[in-house]
Amino acid sequence: MADKKKDDVKKPDASPAGSSTPISPLPAPQPVTQPAHPVSVPDQDALIEIDDSTWERSVERAGKPVAVMFYSPTCIFCHQIEPYFRNYAQEYHDTVIFVRLNVMTSQWTAERYGVRSTPTFKFFCSGKPVQEMVGAVYPTLLKKMMDEVLTHGKECAKNSTLIDYEITGYG
């Protein structure tokens, strides 16, 4: 009985040796077309990444007030506050320049301004530091400080000492 069942099973048609089933060719790649109107993406360039070599040009000689976030890639609080800092960069982009500086790769500038922990927020007017916040701060406090710097920062900068750009590191 078992032999009868084996014979009843249909076997697939075997193709002759050497022949193969034709494979349909892949369709030609279609060119990617750009939309007629570019999709508006929030301005990601409102927050500028700087380092020791671009510090003077970006902060000390800037024509607008500058908000600086000194951060470390390993700092948990830096990652928590950064989205708020980016939002403020977009909100105040007409009046304030927002930059961030990695203290692990730009140690000279961090040491020069006495940054000992991250995040540290410093605000500069006319190239001079006028306000500072250190540590995990509430975003509303950060925004309030920006408003105060915009209101009173230039007065503070006028009364502070000039910066000597010829710093050699040797007395």
Side-chain angles (χ1 to χ4, degrees):
M1 259 178 144
D3 293 333
K4 280 186 177 181
K5 289 184 181 178
K6 284 184 185 177
D7 292 336
D8 291 342
V9 177
K10 286 189 174 182
K11 294 181 182 178
D13 294 334
S15 51
S19 72
S20 63
T21 55
I23 299 174
S24 60
L26 293 174
Q30 299 296 322
V32 178
T33 58
Q34 297 294 330
H37 300 288
V39 179
S40 68
V41 177
D43 186 14
Q44 295 297 325
D45 296 329
L47 180 59
I48 304 165
E49 181 79 25
I50 62 171
D51 58 14
D52 286 342
S53 63
T54 58
W55 173 266
E56 184 179 326
R57 179 184 62 226
S58 301
V59 177
E60 294 176 357
R61 295 186 186 240
K64 296 182 192 177
V66 182
V68 181
M69 176 182 173
F70 292 88
Y71 77 99
S72 169
T74 59
C75 170
I76 294 169
F77 299 117
C78 298
H79 292 290
Q80 289 175 346
I81 194 73
E82 185 177 351
Y84 296 99
F85 196 67
R86 284 188 182 278
N87 287 340
Y88 297 149
Q90 292 174 359
E91 183 178 337
Y92 290 93
H93 75 279
D94 290 334
T95 54
V96 180
I97 299 170
F98 284 78
V99 299
R100 67 183 203 149
L101 182 112
N102 184 341
V103 298
M104 296 181 93
T105 58
S106 300
Q107 297 167 356
W108 187 83
T109 303
E111 184 179 329
R112 179 179 177 197
Y113 287 95
V115 175
R116 299 210 172 252
S117 63
T118 56
T120 295
F121 300 94
K122 286 191 180 269
F123 298 90
F124 293 78
C125 282
S126 302
K128 301 169 190 166
V130 294
Q131 194 66 269
E132 173 180 326
M133 291 183 99
V134 179
V137 297
Y138 288 108
T140 52
L141 290 175
L142 191 60
K143 185 172 182 173
K144 183 176 180 184
M145 181 179 283
M146 278 186 264
D147 291 335
E148 288 177 4
V149 167
L150 286 173
T151 305
H152 305 292
K154 290 187 180 183
E155 295 169 12
C156 292
K158 287 179 185 176
N159 297 328
S160 63
T161 310
L162 289 175
I163 296 174
D164 182 14
Y165 291 106
E166 299 300 321
I167 298 175
T168 61
Y170 300 102

